[in-house]
Amino acid sequence: MDGRKNPAFVPEWNLEDVRTTFLKCVGWQTEETLDPINCPYHYYCDSTYPGNYPPAVDVLVLVYTAVSYLATLLLMVVDMVSSRGPASSFSQSKRFLLPSGPFSLPIILLMLAKGHRINSVFPLSCVGPAILQLVYISALTFDFGANENIKYAFFEASTVSGILHASLYLDSVILPYYTGFDALLSSSFSGECVSCVCRKEVLVVGGKLVTYRGWSVTTSLVVGTLCLRIVRRLYEANKAKITAIISLSESLSFIFIIKDSLYLATNSPPEQYLLRAAAFGGVFVLICLHLLKKACNKVAQWSCPRPREK
């Protein structure tokens, strides 16, 4: 929103400072209004996140995210073109290369936990959702682990915990951003201070312009799928039924991942458009590869002759 078109905007205010105040605000306070007709709700920003890290930190995060994505892409292609299952040692080593693995996932958690200060060259407020979806896809696509059931359950449980924490950390980054975006776009300046605005309706956490949340149905479906995999691995009974439920839960997870990606690609705040397009374009490539792999496996199953019953 161009504040200069607002009659209450003070020309001395720096537009970039106003934008930063709104988008990094973590505490919006309401106060009594003297004009209940034209300004029924009056808000001002009470506190903001600290300043951004140096651009070098953003560059490091960008490089690490790109490497994690390329590793996921490469391993998906290798699994597709491989005529036989990978060796156990290679399967074990793959886990450490993936965004959902025990090495990369803690680093991604640290990135998201500090995401409110990674906001210059590679703003996580814009691409953070794509990073979380990269973790989703990695966890759903690669189902391998240690030979021992207990170790497998430990690895999967740590992935579940990491995904839940990543969702919460992402919300701590995007909710203030979406709230400030709503306040900036759907309000009018009152002129009393830089962040003082008049609104016709209540300002809610996360705003109403962008409804995406990290902690969502998608997260629940992904976590549920991983938990069911643990159950199938630890318990011998009813494996066929559990496998069918896992297949359904995995399919629903990808449907919601696609829905979230399409929504974010078209309804996110109009900032860093090219970066956001590249991020979600990469997500769509991984989804297409996964679907292609599933289709190839189905065709291979149908083409294999079934043993005749005697």
Side-chain angles (χ1 to χ4, degrees), residues 90-202:
F90 181 52
S91 294
Q92 294 296 325
S93 64
K94 283 199 298 184
R95 175 174 287 275
F96 292 91
L97 299 175
L98 294 171
S100 58
F103 176 77
S104 294
L105 188 53
I107 297 177
I108 291 176
L109 289 178
L110 179 62
M111 288 160 42
L112 294 175
K114 302 296 183 180
H116 53 275
R117 301 191 66 183
I118 304 173
N119 202 34
S120 55
V121 178
F122 191 67
L124 293 190
S125 55
C126 295
V127 298
I131 294 176
L132 181 60
Q133 290 178 340
L134 175 62
V135 175
Y136 289 159
I137 295 172
S138 169
L140 291 172
T141 302
F142 297 95
D143 181 18
F144 53 78
N147 295 326
E148 297 86 354
N149 289 345
I150 298 300
K151 188 177 291 187
Y152 174 85
F154 173 78
F155 277 132
E156 290 295 287
S158 64
T159 303
V160 168
S161 176
I163 288 176
L164 293 175
H165 281 83
S167 302
L168 293 175
Y169 290 148
L170 178 62
D171 278 342
S172 71
V173 175
I174 63 174
L175 290 185
Y177 177 64
Y178 292 161
T179 306
F181 177 68
D182 192 339
L184 191 61
L185 199 66
S186 304
S187 310
S188 59
F189 289 99
S190 66
E192 297 183 18
C193 66
V194 171
S195 63
C196 292
V197 293
C198 290
R199 292 180 59 85
K200 298 294 185 181
E201 59 182 3
V202 175

Side-chain angles (χ1 to χ4, degrees), residues 65 69 72 76 99-100 108 112 126-141 163 166-167 170 212-214 216 218-219 222 253-265 268 276 279-284 286-287:
T65 303
Y69 173 81
T72 306
M76 290 182 73
S100 58
I108 291 176
L112 294 175
C126 295
V127 298
I131 294 176
L132 181 60
Q133 290 178 340
L134 175 62
V135 175
Y136 289 159
I137 295 172
S138 169
L140 291 172
T141 302
I163 288 176
S167 302
L170 178 62
Y212 172 82
R213 302 292 182 264
S216 62
T218 309
T219 300
V222 173
S253 298
F254 272 98
I255 289 173
F256 274 83
I257 291 173
I258 294 171
K259 180 184 75 69
D260 289 343
S261 298
L262 290 173
Y263 177 83
L264 288 166
S268 294
R276 189 173 69 249
F280 288 107
V283 170
F284 285 127
L286 296 181
I287 293 173

Side-chain angles (χ1 to χ4, degrees), residues 6 21 26 58 114 129 179 194-195 236 245 248 297 304:
N6 193 303
T21 300
V26 292
D58 288 59
K114 302 296 183 180
T179 306
V194 171
S195 63
E236 295 294 331
I245 297 174
L248 175 61
N297 290 340
C304 290

